[in-house]
């Protein structure tokens, strides 16, 4: 077998690495929903969760409305929620904020209804205020259908 020129090997390996990175950015075929349970004195504060935003379902369909008191129900999400948040106590103040390098959207469905937000801080969505005890489903959306962006959710009981 003949020798492969170093330049050709580098080009071939580079293509494999780039192909792997592109595949890694695709959404998982089965969306894993992460459940977090917290009480009034949770630690660490903030709790951080990571995931990929986006999907093919219009956010307004999941929220069953186009707008809530917290903002417009925009973007596209998965059918299943990205996360489930179980609050064992009433919270006089709790914030759930998304950080992403891209513009993302947020839908929360739980006791008392549905809430949507797009631009809480810059292009990052969030919702803060009083929260009833109960189970909340959380979707993180992207503005483009089938656009997937990494995000971090920060859940905190500390007032700014």
């Amino acid at each position: 077998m003949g020798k492969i020129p170093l330049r050709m090997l580098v080009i071939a390996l580079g293509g494999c690495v780039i192909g792997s990175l592109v595949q890694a950015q695709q959404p998982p075929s089965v969306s894993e929903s992460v459940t977090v349970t917290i009480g009034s004195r949770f630690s660490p504060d903030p709790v951080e969760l990571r995931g990929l935003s986006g999907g093919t379902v219009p956010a307004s369909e999941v929220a069953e409305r186009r707008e809530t008191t917290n903002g417009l129900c925009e973007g596209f999400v998965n059918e299943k929620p990205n996360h489930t948040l179980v609050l064992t106590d009433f919270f006089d103040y709790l914030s759930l904020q998304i950080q992403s390098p891209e513009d993302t959207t947020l839908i929360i469905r739980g006791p008392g209804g549905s809430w949507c937000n797009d631009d809480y801080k810059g292009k990052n969505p969030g919702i803060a205020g009083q929260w009833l005890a109960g189970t909340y489903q959380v979707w993180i959306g992207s503005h483009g259908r089938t656009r997937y962006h990494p995000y971090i959710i920060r859940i905190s009981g500390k007032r700014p």
Side-chain angles (χ1 to χ4, degrees), residues 90-121:
F90 169 80
F91 280 82
D92 189 47
Y93 178 85
L94 187 73
S95 71
L96 187 149
Q97 295 181 35
I98 310 305
Q99 286 190 324
S100 176
E102 300 295 329
D103 193 1
T104 54
T105 64
L106 173 65
I107 301 171
I108 299 175
R109 209 166 52 192
S114 296
W115 300 270
C116 298
N117 190 259
D118 184 12
D119 297 328
Y120 182 74
K121 286 192 176 179

mmCIF file of all heavy atoms in Angstrom, residues 90-121:
data_model
loop_
_atom_site.group_PDB
_atom_site.id
_atom_site.type_symbol
_atom_site.label_atom_id
_atom_site.label_comp_id
_atom_site.label_asym_id
_atom_site.label_seq_id
_atom_site.Cartn_x
_atom_site.Cartn_y
_atom_site.Cartn_z
ATOM 1 N N PHE A 90 -44.654 27.049 47.484
ATOM 2 C CA PHE A 90 -44.949 28.336 46.865
ATOM 3 C C PHE A 90 -43.686 29.190 46.913
ATOM 4 O O PHE A 90 -42.963 29.188 47.915
ATOM 5 C CB PHE A 90 -46.081 29.039 47.635
ATOM 6 C CG PHE A 90 -46.272 30.476 47.238
ATOM 7 C CD1 PHE A 90 -46.966 30.806 46.088
ATOM 8 C CD2 PHE A 90 -45.749 31.501 48.010
ATOM 9 C CE1 PHE A 90 -47.149 32.123 45.715
ATOM 10 C CE2 PHE A 90 -45.921 32.825 47.649
ATOM 11 C CZ PHE A 90 -46.620 33.128 46.494
ATOM 12 N N PHE A 91 -43.408 29.895 45.826
ATOM 13 C CA PHE A 91 -42.261 30.809 45.783
ATOM 14 C C PHE A 91 -42.769 32.228 45.662
ATOM 15 O O PHE A 91 -43.455 32.554 44.690
ATOM 16 C CB PHE A 91 -41.356 30.500 44.586
ATOM 17 C CG PHE A 91 -40.435 29.341 44.805
ATOM 18 C CD1 PHE A 91 -40.894 28.045 44.626
ATOM 19 C CD2 PHE A 91 -39.124 29.533 45.206
ATOM 20 C CE1 PHE A 91 -40.055 26.967 44.833
ATOM 21 C CE2 PHE A 91 -38.275 28.463 45.411
ATOM 22 C CZ PHE A 91 -38.736 27.170 45.234
ATOM 23 N N ASP A 92 -42.428 33.081 46.630
ATOM 24 C CA ASP A 92 -42.778 34.492 46.547
ATOM 25 C C ASP A 92 -41.998 35.140 45.404
ATOM 26 O O ASP A 92 -42.476 36.072 44.773
ATOM 27 C CB ASP A 92 -42.478 35.199 47.871
ATOM 28 C CG ASP A 92 -43.023 36.612 47.893
ATOM 29 O OD1 ASP A 92 -44.196 36.793 47.511
ATOM 30 O OD2 ASP A 92 -42.268 37.527 48.270
ATOM 31 N N TYR A 93 -40.782 34.603 45.140
ATOM 32 C CA TYR A 93 -40.001 35.061 43.993
ATOM 33 C C TYR A 93 -39.169 33.907 43.457
ATOM 34 O O TYR A 93 -38.481 33.207 44.217
ATOM 35 C CB TYR A 93 -39.057 36.219 44.356
ATOM 36 C CG TYR A 93 -38.237 36.648 43.170
ATOM 37 C CD1 TYR A 93 -38.743 37.555 42.246
ATOM 38 C CD2 TYR A 93 -36.968 36.117 42.954
ATOM 39 C CE1 TYR A 93 -38.008 37.926 41.132
ATOM 40 C CE2 TYR A 93 -36.220 36.494 41.838
ATOM 41 C CZ TYR A 93 -36.743 37.394 40.933
ATOM 42 O OH TYR A 93 -36.021 37.753 39.835
ATOM 43 N N LEU A 94 -39.248 33.699 42.147
ATOM 44 C CA LEU A 94 -38.413 32.721 41.456
ATOM 45 C C LEU A 94 -38.219 33.232 40.036
ATOM 46 O O LEU A 94 -39.159 33.746 39.423
ATOM 47 C CB LEU A 94 -39.085 31.342 41.423
ATOM 48 C CG LEU A 94 -38.232 30.198 40.873
ATOM 49 C CD1 LEU A 94 -37.146 29.811 41.882
ATOM 50 C CD2 LEU A 94 -39.091 28.988 40.554
ATOM 51 N N SER A 95 -36.990 33.125 39.540
ATOM 52 C CA SER A 95 -36.748 33.518 38.143
ATOM 53 C C SER A 95 -36.211 32.325 37.373
ATOM 54 O O SER A 95 -35.454 31.518 37.899
ATOM 55 C CB SER A 95 -35.771 34.690 38.044
ATOM 56 O OG SER A 95 -34.463 34.279 38.386
ATOM 57 N N LEU A 96 -36.655 32.233 36.130
ATOM 58 C CA LEU A 96 -36.181 31.230 35.192
ATOM 59 C C LEU A 96 -35.736 32.011 33.967
ATOM 60 O O LEU A 96 -36.560 32.649 33.312
ATOM 61 C CB LEU A 96 -37.301 30.256 34.854
ATOM 62 C CG LEU A 96 -36.922 29.042 34.017
ATOM 63 C CD1 LEU A 96 -37.809 27.858 34.391
ATOM 64 C CD2 LEU A 96 -37.007 29.319 32.545
ATOM 65 N N GLN A 97 -34.414 32.012 33.715
ATOM 66 C CA GLN A 97 -33.874 32.791 32.608
ATOM 67 C C GLN A 97 -33.042 31.903 31.693
ATOM 68 O O GLN A 97 -32.345 31.006 32.155
ATOM 69 C CB GLN A 97 -33.008 33.928 33.139
ATOM 70 C CG GLN A 97 -33.818 34.940 33.933
ATOM 71 C CD GLN A 97 -32.952 36.084 34.425
ATOM 72 O OE1 GLN A 97 -32.022 36.503 33.759
ATOM 73 N NE2 GLN A 97 -33.275 36.582 35.602
ATOM 74 N N ILE A 98 -33.118 32.183 30.417
ATOM 75 C CA ILE A 98 -32.391 31.435 29.401
ATOM 76 C C ILE A 98 -31.203 32.265 28.941
ATOM 77 O O ILE A 98 -31.326 33.483 28.747
ATOM 78 C CB ILE A 98 -33.289 31.144 28.174
ATOM 79 C CG1 ILE A 98 -34.624 30.539 28.583
ATOM 80 C CG2 ILE A 98 -32.549 30.269 27.163
ATOM 81 C CD1 ILE A 98 -34.542 29.306 29.408
ATOM 82 N N GLN A 99 -30.063 31.607 28.758
ATOM 83 C CA GLN A 99 -28.902 32.237 28.137
ATOM 84 C C GLN A 99 -28.517 31.398 26.935
ATOM 85 O O GLN A 99 -28.365 30.180 27.055
ATOM 86 C CB GLN A 99 -27.730 32.326 29.106
ATOM 87 C CG GLN A 99 -27.921 33.399 30.152
ATOM 88 C CD GLN A 99 -26.647 33.625 30.939
ATOM 89 O OE1 GLN A 99 -25.913 32.702 31.211
ATOM 90 N NE2 GLN A 99 -26.401 34.870 31.292
ATOM 91 N N SER A 100 -28.400 32.057 25.789
ATOM 92 C CA SER A 100 -28.045 31.376 24.555
ATOM 93 C C SER A 100 -27.321 32.356 23.646
ATOM 94 O O SER A 100 -27.597 33.562 23.691
ATOM 95 C CB SER A 100 -29.308 30.865 23.852
ATOM 96 O OG SER A 100 -28.976 30.275 22.610
ATOM 97 N N PRO A 101 -26.414 31.856 22.809
ATOM 98 C CA PRO A 101 -25.761 32.757 21.861
ATOM 99 C C PRO A 101 -26.710 33.209 20.740
ATOM 100 O O PRO A 101 -26.408 34.144 20.018
ATOM 101 C CB PRO A 101 -24.617 31.908 21.294
ATOM 102 C CG PRO A 101 -25.031 30.498 21.498
ATOM 103 C CD PRO A 101 -25.889 30.495 22.733
ATOM 104 N N GLU A 102 -27.849 32.549 20.615
ATOM 105 C CA GLU A 102 -28.835 32.891 19.585
ATOM 106 C C GLU A 102 -30.133 33.347 20.233
ATOM 107 O O GLU A 102 -30.350 33.149 21.424
ATOM 108 C CB GLU A 102 -29.103 31.682 18.684
ATOM 109 C CG GLU A 102 -27.883 31.166 17.966
ATOM 110 C CD GLU A 102 -27.307 32.149 16.961
ATOM 111 O OE1 GLU A 102 -28.079 32.933 16.369
ATOM 112 O OE2 GLU A 102 -26.076 32.129 16.764
ATOM 113 N N ASP A 103 -31.029 33.915 19.443
ATOM 114 C CA ASP A 103 -32.327 34.396 19.925
ATOM 115 C C ASP A 103 -33.248 33.205 20.168
ATOM 116 O O ASP A 103 -33.576 32.469 19.238
ATOM 117 C CB ASP A 103 -32.922 35.346 18.885
ATOM 118 C CG ASP A 103 -34.101 36.143 19.415
ATOM 119 O OD1 ASP A 103 -34.455 35.980 20.606
ATOM 120 O OD2 ASP A 103 -34.671 36.925 18.643
ATOM 121 N N THR A 104 -33.646 32.993 21.414
ATOM 122 C CA THR A 104 -34.511 31.872 21.776
ATOM 123 C C THR A 104 -35.816 32.391 22.365
ATOM 124 O O THR A 104 -35.954 33.570 22.676
ATOM 125 C CB THR A 104 -33.817 30.941 22.798
ATOM 126 O OG1 THR A 104 -33.390 31.716 23.922
ATOM 127 C CG2 THR A 104 -32.621 30.236 22.178
ATOM 128 N N THR A 105 -36.786 31.488 22.512
ATOM 129 C CA THR A 105 -38.088 31.821 23.084
ATOM 130 C C THR A 105 -38.399 30.850 24.211
ATOM 131 O O THR A 105 -37.739 29.817 24.352
ATOM 132 C CB THR A 105 -39.194 31.761 22.018
ATOM 133 O OG1 THR A 105 -39.313 30.425 21.544
ATOM 134 C CG2 THR A 105 -38.895 32.696 20.855
ATOM 135 N N LEU A 106 -39.416 31.160 25.004
ATOM 136 C CA LEU A 106 -39.735 30.373 26.191
ATOM 137 C C LEU A 106 -41.240 30.199 26.338
ATOM 138 O O LEU A 106 -41.992 31.149 26.154
ATOM 139 C CB LEU A 106 -39.181 31.100 27.429
ATOM 140 C CG LEU A 106 -39.523 30.570 28.812
ATOM 141 C CD1 LEU A 106 -38.931 29.184 29.040
ATOM 142 C CD2 LEU A 106 -39.005 31.543 29.871
ATOM 143 N N ILE A 107 -41.642 28.977 26.661
ATOM 144 C CA ILE A 107 -43.034 28.681 27.027
ATOM 145 C C ILE A 107 -42.989 27.901 28.327
ATOM 146 O O ILE A 107 -42.224 26.940 28.465
ATOM 147 C CB ILE A 107 -43.749 27.803 25.988
ATOM 148 C CG1 ILE A 107 -43.768 28.454 24.618
ATOM 149 C CG2 ILE A 107 -45.176 27.481 26.446
ATOM 150 C CD1 ILE A 107 -44.259 27.526 23.529
ATOM 151 N N ILE A 108 -43.820 28.297 29.277
ATOM 152 C CA ILE A 108 -43.968 27.567 30.536
ATOM 153 C C ILE A 108 -45.445 27.302 30.728
ATOM 154 O O ILE A 108 -46.269 28.221 30.626
ATOM 155 C CB ILE A 108 -43.409 28.365 31.734
ATOM 156 C CG1 ILE A 108 -41.915 28.638 31.531
ATOM 157 C CG2 ILE A 108 -43.670 27.621 33.036
ATOM 158 C CD1 ILE A 108 -41.293 29.511 32.590
ATOM 159 N N ARG A 109 -45.793 26.040 30.992
ATOM 160 C CA ARG A 109 -47.184 25.652 31.244
ATOM 161 C C ARG A 109 -47.230 24.961 32.594
ATOM 162 O O ARG A 109 -46.467 24.029 32.854
ATOM 163 C CB ARG A 109 -47.654 24.722 30.134
ATOM 164 C CG ARG A 109 -49.121 24.794 29.871
ATOM 165 C CD ARG A 109 -49.561 24.146 28.599
ATOM 166 N NE ARG A 109 -49.085 22.778 28.464
ATOM 167 C CZ ARG A 109 -49.152 22.088 27.344
ATOM 168 N NH1 ARG A 109 -49.655 22.611 26.256
ATOM 169 N NH2 ARG A 109 -48.713 20.857 27.294
ATOM 170 N N GLY A 110 -48.131 25.445 33.473
ATOM 171 C CA GLY A 110 -48.228 24.860 34.801
ATOM 172 C C GLY A 110 -49.454 25.341 35.525
ATOM 173 O O GLY A 110 -50.398 25.836 34.900
ATOM 174 N N PRO A 111 -49.446 25.222 36.870
ATOM 175 C CA PRO A 111 -50.595 25.676 37.648
ATOM 176 C C PRO A 111 -50.914 27.137 37.334
ATOM 177 O O PRO A 111 -50.045 27.988 37.337
ATOM 178 C CB PRO A 111 -50.116 25.532 39.099
ATOM 179 C CG PRO A 111 -49.019 24.523 39.038
ATOM 180 C CD PRO A 111 -48.370 24.706 37.698
ATOM 181 N N GLY A 112 -52.107 27.400 36.971
ATOM 182 C CA GLY A 112 -52.513 28.764 36.680
ATOM 183 C C GLY A 112 -52.454 29.157 35.220
ATOM 184 O O GLY A 112 -52.885 30.237 34.862
ATOM 185 N N GLY A 113 -51.895 28.298 34.346
ATOM 186 C CA GLY A 113 -51.917 28.642 32.935
ATOM 187 C C GLY A 113 -50.614 28.478 32.199
ATOM 188 O O GLY A 113 -49.749 27.708 32.589
ATOM 189 N N SER A 114 -50.499 29.277 31.103
ATOM 190 C CA SER A 114 -49.320 29.253 30.244
ATOM 191 C C SER A 114 -48.719 30.648 30.182
ATOM 192 O O SER A 114 -49.443 31.645 30.198
ATOM 193 C CB SER A 114 -49.704 28.836 28.816
ATOM 194 O OG SER A 114 -50.189 27.537 28.782
ATOM 195 N N TRP A 115 -47.386 30.687 30.067
ATOM 196 C CA TRP A 115 -46.672 31.942 29.959
ATOM 197 C C TRP A 115 -45.638 31.823 28.861
ATOM 198 O O TRP A 115 -44.970 30.797 28.725
ATOM 199 C CB TRP A 115 -45.978 32.295 31.277
ATOM 200 C CG TRP A 115 -46.957 32.430 32.392
ATOM 201 C CD1 TRP A 115 -47.607 33.561 32.788
ATOM 202 C CD2 TRP A 115 -47.427 31.385 33.256
ATOM 203 N NE1 TRP A 115 -48.451 33.277 33.841
ATOM 204 C CE2 TRP A 115 -48.359 31.944 34.151
ATOM 205 C CE3 TRP A 115 -47.155 30.019 33.354
ATOM 206 C CZ2 TRP A 115 -49.008 31.209 35.117
ATOM 207 C CZ3 TRP A 115 -47.802 29.277 34.327
ATOM 208 C CH2 TRP A 115 -48.717 29.875 35.193
ATOM 209 N N CYS A 116 -45.496 32.891 28.078
ATOM 210 C CA CYS A 116 -44.520 32.927 26.996
ATOM 211 C C CYS A 116 -43.643 34.160 27.164
ATOM 212 O O CYS A 116 -44.080 35.173 27.729
ATOM 213 C CB CYS A 116 -45.214 33.020 25.639
ATOM 214 S SG CYS A 116 -46.271 31.615 25.249
ATOM 215 N N ASN A 117 -42.422 34.070 26.631
ATOM 216 C CA ASN A 117 -41.543 35.224 26.634
ATOM 217 C C ASN A 117 -40.521 35.068 25.526
ATOM 218 O O ASN A 117 -40.151 33.951 25.175
ATOM 219 C CB ASN A 117 -40.856 35.397 27.991
ATOM 220 C CG ASN A 117 -40.130 36.716 28.081
ATOM 221 O OD1 ASN A 117 -38.925 36.771 27.937
ATOM 222 N ND2 ASN A 117 -40.876 37.794 28.298
ATOM 223 N N ASP A 118 -40.081 36.212 25.015
ATOM 224 C CA ASP A 118 -39.077 36.208 23.962
ATOM 225 C C ASP A 118 -37.837 36.978 24.396
ATOM 226 O O ASP A 118 -36.754 36.429 24.427
ATOM 227 C CB ASP A 118 -39.666 36.796 22.676
ATOM 228 C CG ASP A 118 -38.710 36.735 21.504
ATOM 229 O OD1 ASP A 118 -37.688 36.041 21.598
ATOM 230 O OD2 ASP A 118 -38.982 37.388 20.486
ATOM 231 N N ASP A 119 -37.963 38.216 24.752
ATOM 232 C CA ASP A 119 -36.790 39.061 25.021
ATOM 233 C C ASP A 119 -36.837 39.672 26.416
ATOM 234 O O ASP A 119 -37.094 40.863 26.586
ATOM 235 C CB ASP A 119 -36.703 40.162 23.962
ATOM 236 C CG ASP A 119 -36.500 39.603 22.570
ATOM 237 O OD1 ASP A 119 -35.855 38.549 22.449
ATOM 238 O OD2 ASP A 119 -36.982 40.221 21.603
ATOM 239 N N TYR A 120 -36.577 38.861 27.440
ATOM 240 C CA TYR A 120 -36.561 39.314 28.837
ATOM 241 C C TYR A 120 -35.327 40.171 29.105
ATOM 242 O O TYR A 120 -35.406 41.240 29.664
ATOM 243 C CB TYR A 120 -36.594 38.082 29.746
ATOM 244 C CG TYR A 120 -36.632 38.369 31.223
ATOM 245 C CD1 TYR A 120 -37.785 38.840 31.830
ATOM 246 C CD2 TYR A 120 -35.516 38.130 32.022
ATOM 247 C CE1 TYR A 120 -37.829 39.080 33.190
ATOM 248 C CE2 TYR A 120 -35.553 38.360 33.376
ATOM 249 C CZ TYR A 120 -36.699 38.836 33.963
ATOM 250 O OH TYR A 120 -36.744 39.073 35.316
ATOM 251 N N LYS A 121 -34.156 39.644 28.709
ATOM 252 C CA LYS A 121 -32.885 40.386 28.827
ATOM 253 C C LYS A 121 -32.160 40.254 27.500
ATOM 254 O O LYS A 121 -31.608 39.210 27.195
ATOM 255 C CB LYS A 121 -32.025 39.823 29.953
ATOM 256 C CG LYS A 121 -32.510 40.182 31.327
ATOM 257 C CD LYS A 121 -31.478 39.859 32.374
ATOM 258 C CE LYS A 121 -31.978 40.340 33.734
ATOM 259 N NZ LYS A 121 -31.033 40.028 34.780
#
